[in-house]
Amino acid sequence: MTERKPIGVSFETWIDRQIREATERGEFDDLPGAGKPIPGAGRPLEEMWWIKQKLRSENLTYVPPSLALRKEAEQAREEAARARSEDEVRAILDQVNKKIVEAIRTPPPGPPLAMVPFNVERAVEEWRRSRPEPSDRPEPRAEQAAPQPGGSRTWSLSSWWKRRTKGSA
């Protein structure tokens, strides 16, 4: 902690003495940016310059809430297009629709929202159209292949049941 300014000594003299003593002790030798020009020296300061400087130094970004919601809605549309089922499409779009409706009720700061909720039913119809149409009959699998001539004997569940109950009567 620094000492108090003595009575009768001017502030300028007292401060100059403290700086000189700190320099002699080497307290300013390893400061970051030593010997480099001060960034932005000579340029006029912008409004909220210190916030912009902090965002740059921390490698952060800021997107206004209305723009972030637009981006989220676009991502939701893309995610819904890749969904595996209609229920998944509905869930994705319902979730983002809740946020859009809330933003319409209480507008967020930043640029105007200018969005409306997704029409979920229309999106589901588009999702269906983008899918290949299922065939009327499934292709036979290896286990369900037609019997080979002269191959294994065919049987049905009803014929099996008749044989089974015939012996128990």
Side-chain angles (χ1 to χ4, degrees), residues 121-139:
E121 294 307 315
R122 185 180 302 156
V124 168
E125 285 300 318
E126 289 174 9
W127 179 86
R128 280 187 199 134
R129 282 191 299 251
S130 70
R131 297 287 176 256
E133 292 188 26
S135 62
D136 292 339
R137 55 191 171 124
E139 294 181 18

Side-chain angles (χ1 to χ4, degrees):
M1 186 168 154
T2 61
E3 60 191 61
R4 291 184 61 111
K5 179 184 95 54
I7 299 175
V9 177
S10 69
F11 275 107
E12 187 174 349
T13 308
W14 180 65
I15 291 171
D16 287 339
R17 190 187 86 218
Q18 286 185 327
I19 292 172
R20 182 179 42 77
E21 289 173 357
T23 304
E24 289 171 358
R25 289 191 302 267
E27 293 183 18
F28 299 129
D29 290 346
D30 296 326
L31 292 177
K36 298 178 184 173
I38 298 173
R43 289 187 302 205
L45 293 179
E46 301 173 7
E47 185 177 349
M48 296 195 297
W49 63 270
W50 60 276
I51 293 175
K52 293 177 182 179
Q53 182 180 0
K54 183 67 174 172
L55 289 173
R56 261 186 254 116
S57 68
E58 299 286 328
N59 199 20
L60 301 173
T61 58
Y62 173 75
V63 177
S66 58
L67 295 180
L69 184 56
R70 286 183 194 175
K71 185 174 183 178
E72 184 178 349
E74 186 59 35
Q75 289 172 343
R77 181 191 314 254
E78 292 169 2
E79 190 177 339
R82 293 187 308 266
R84 295 183 184 159
S85 68
E86 289 182 20
D87 291 337
E88 192 175 343
V89 172
R90 291 177 199 281
I92 292 167
L93 295 181
D94 284 342
Q95 184 180 13
V96 78
N97 274 350
K98 288 177 186 176
K99 293 179 182 181
I100 292 172
V101 167
E102 183 60 31
I104 291 171
R105 286 188 188 137
T106 56
L113 186 61
M115 288 184 72
V116 293
F118 288 106
N119 183 335
V120 176
E121 294 307 315
R122 185 180 302 156
V124 168
E125 285 300 318
E126 289 174 9
W127 179 86
R128 280 187 199 134
R129 282 191 299 251
S130 70
R131 297 287 176 256
E133 292 188 26
S135 62
D136 292 339
R137 55 191 171 124
E139 294 181 18
R141 291 184 282 167
E143 302 89 37
Q144 296 177 345
Q148 300 294 327
S152 64
R153 192 172 97 191
T154 60
W155 59 275
S156 68
L157 185 59
S158 61
S159 63
W160 173 82
W161 184 252
K162 285 178 187 174
R163 284 193 312 267
R164 174 119 170 94
T165 55
K166 190 177 187 181
S168 64

